Amino acid sequence: MESSRSPLQGTYKPTTLQQLSYGPNSVKDNLLAALPKEDSRAFIVTGNSLATKTPLVKEVEELLGKERHAVTFSKIKQHAPVKELDEAVEVVLKAQGDHPIDTIISIGGGSPIDSAKAISFRVYEKTGHYLRHIAIPTTLSAAECTFGAGFTQPDGTKQAISQPGTLPTHVFYDPRFGAHTPPDLFISTGIRALDHAIELQYHPTATWMPCQLLALSAIKELFTFLPKYKQDPQNPDTITRLFLAAYASLGFLGSNIKGGLGLSHTLGYALGSPYGIPHGITSCLTLGHVVKLKARSSPATAAKIAEILPFIGTNTRSDDDVKDAEKVGDKILELVRQLGFKTTLTKKNVGRDQLDVIVERATGGLSKKEGISGEEREMVEGVRKLVEGLY
């Protein structure tokens, strides 16, 4: 038994994370000690904007020094296109020689971090050795918390890998790195972190301790500090609190969880890379509505969602779990509106002619199958109605 709420029983298997450092100067004070050897060589993976429009990447290069810094690859784009990953792997392999690269440092949001995982895995396939992955996040996507990674095929669809050897062994939450992130990006990825924390509450194999319990604290922190960040996006304490909330939203998932996180995430993958919508924005679109749909899916799910209410400022519960769970969905939609991220698929230039395609992707092809059960048909219709409401 690995699920843990009902009955209250479970098994939590930690990941291979070795160190979490946070707060001002955490990168400067601790990065070199995270390298596997004194003569390690590091390959930096980042995006063009971070490399050219901020001093952050250059600071890391200077901290490493010429002997430890091998190459910086700054071509990573949104949703991690596979073409760039192939190019990066070739750069790593060509740079091996007598003094091989043994470390990969990702600087940025979900795309550079996922790309670093995919690059490490592909290097492993070629050499039999993973690169030590050190992550320096600049957003709240929490990609550094899992050993899963997604990248985009030429047709726009997402492909995933799940390899424990690609998980960052060291994570640095330095507010200086968050302070250079555009506020809209930082906030929207905060809703993505909220998406993780919410969907874990009704995930069938997420453990109560520590996964769901700490995710509840993440929900409270995100509801509290995202509005404060919007008012003052340079406050280092607020940035650090939000980084740690993002970690709590997904960092205690464990290595033994089974299946995807939930419907909001599945919809996010169906809407994200195929239509060029960042995953923070897909969560703004879907999460509140998914919660309201899940509230009506079963009494057990409604009860789990209703338990979130005290963590988002509503201490009084009614005797109706469905009503309380729907209120959680309304609170999420209100937070998204308050933060200025209420939007529609129409505004994101996704035509209504894509409805069937989106539903098919979000239901794993179930919408196209014949002879499905009544429960499956009800689920498909619920997803269809939800997507229609996003226009």
Side-chain angles (χ1 to χ4, degrees):
M1 171 68 75
E2 293 185 347
S3 183
S4 67
R5 281 263 188 116
S6 182
L8 192 61
Q9 181 181 0
T11 299
Y12 169 70
K13 297 178 182 178
T15 64
T16 55
L17 178 73
Q18 295 179 18
Q19 181 174 309
L20 177 72
S21 299
Y22 58 92
N25 298 317
S26 55
V27 170
K28 179 181 178 182
D29 294 343
N30 299 286
L31 179 63
L32 295 183
L35 298 173
K37 298 180 295 186
E38 286 189 6
D39 62 346
S40 287
R41 295 178 73 221
F43 180 75
I44 296 175
V45 176
T46 189
N48 183 65
S49 292
L50 277 169
T52 61
K53 297 180 181 179
T54 78
L56 300 175
V57 176
K58 182 169 288 293
E59 288 176 7
V60 173
E61 292 173 349
E62 292 175 350
L63 186 61
L64 291 169
K66 292 183 179 180
E67 293 185 355
R68 296 186 182 93
H69 173 233
V71 184
T72 293
F73 187 86
S74 59
K75 297 182 181 180
I76 300 302
K77 298 175 183 176
Q78 182 177 287
H79 298 300
V82 70
K83 179 182 177 182
E84 279 73 31
L85 301 187
D86 290 340
E87 185 178 343
V89 171
E90 286 303 311
V91 171
V92 173
L93 294 176
K94 287 180 180 178
Q96 295 299 71
D98 295 331
H99 193 180
I101 293 171
D102 60 5
T103 302
I104 190 164
I105 301 175
S106 56
I107 306 174
S111 294
I113 294 171
D114 274 5
S115 295
K117 297 175 195 174
I119 293 165
S120 179
F121 177 62
R122 290 178 176 218
V123 169
Y124 167 78
E125 289 184 310
K126 299 285 188 181
T127 68
H129 300 285
Y130 287 104
L131 303 175
R132 170 171 288 194
H133 185 182
I134 297 171
I136 307 175
T138 61
T139 75
L140 303 174
S141 70
E144 65 277 3
C145 296
T146 74
F147 47 74
F151 50 93
T152 305
Q153 296 288 4
D155 65 357
T157 58
K158 208 75 174 256
Q159 182 176 336
I161 62 166
S162 183
Q163 299 292 332
T166 68
L167 183 84
T169 59
H170 296 70
V171 175
F172 294 91
Y173 289 130
D174 192 319
R176 173 167 169 72
F177 285 73
H180 283 272
T181 302
D184 280 359
L185 176 59
F186 203 75
I187 292 172
S188 64
T189 56
I191 300 298
R192 186 64 171 175
L194 183 65
D195 202 337
H196 305 326
I198 295 285
E199 294 229 281
L200 282 175
Q201 299 308 311
Y202 45 77
H203 193 286
T205 65
T207 58
W208 170 239
M209 172 57 76
C211 181
Q212 290 173 328
L213 188 59
L214 289 173
L216 284 171
S217 73
I219 293 168
K220 181 179 180 180
E221 291 283 284
L222 291 163
F223 261 81
T224 301
F225 286 97
L226 283 174
K228 291 184 178 180
Y229 171 85
K230 185 176 176 63
Q231 296 300 317
D232 182 7
Q234 293 298 309
N235 186 296
D237 289 345
T238 300
I239 293 172
T240 303
R241 292 287 291 257
L242 287 169
F243 270 143
L244 295 177
Y247 185 78
S249 77
L250 201 58
F252 298 93
L253 194 65
S255 60
N256 55 320
I257 194 167
K258 294 179 175 63
L261 284 185
L263 177 58
S264 184
H265 283 73
T266 306
L267 279 166
Y269 299 135
L271 295 171
S273 54
Y275 305 103
I277 305 174
H279 281 312
I281 300 301
T282 66
S283 292
C284 292
L285 275 163
T286 63
L287 180 58
H289 299 292
V290 166
V291 167
K292 297 184 74 168
L293 177 63
K294 297 291 290 185
R296 299 186 292 273
S297 65
S298 74
T301 300
K304 291 178 179 180
I305 296 172
E307 290 178 11
I308 296 170
L309 268 183
F311 294 87
I312 57 177
T314 302
N315 293 321
T316 304
R317 289 276 304 276
S318 73
D319 294 328
D320 186 335
D321 284 339
V322 174
K323 180 180 177 181
D324 287 349
E326 289 184 330
K327 188 180 292 185
V328 172
D330 287 332
K331 286 275 192 178
I332 294 167
L333 293 171
E334 173 57 26
L335 177 65
V336 170
R337 187 203 63 76
Q338 176 189 354
L339 294 171
F341 285 88
K342 182 179 179 181
T343 189
T344 65
L345 290 179
T346 303
K347 291 179 180 178
K348 294 302 174 184
N349 299 313
V350 180
R352 289 182 180 271
D353 62 325
Q354 295 297 297
L355 177 62
D356 289 341
V357 176
I358 295 167
V359 174
E360 182 181 359
R361 287 173 177 159
T363 59
L366 199 61
S367 63
K368 292 291 186 180
K369 290 183 180 179
E370 296 182 1
I372 61 176
S373 68
E375 183 178 346
E376 289 172 329
R377 187 175 296 105
E378 185 178 348
M379 186 272 286
V380 169
E381 287 308 310
V383 173
R384 177 177 293 278
K385 186 176 180 180
L386 190 157
V387 176
E388 286 176 340
L390 299 181
Y391 283 94

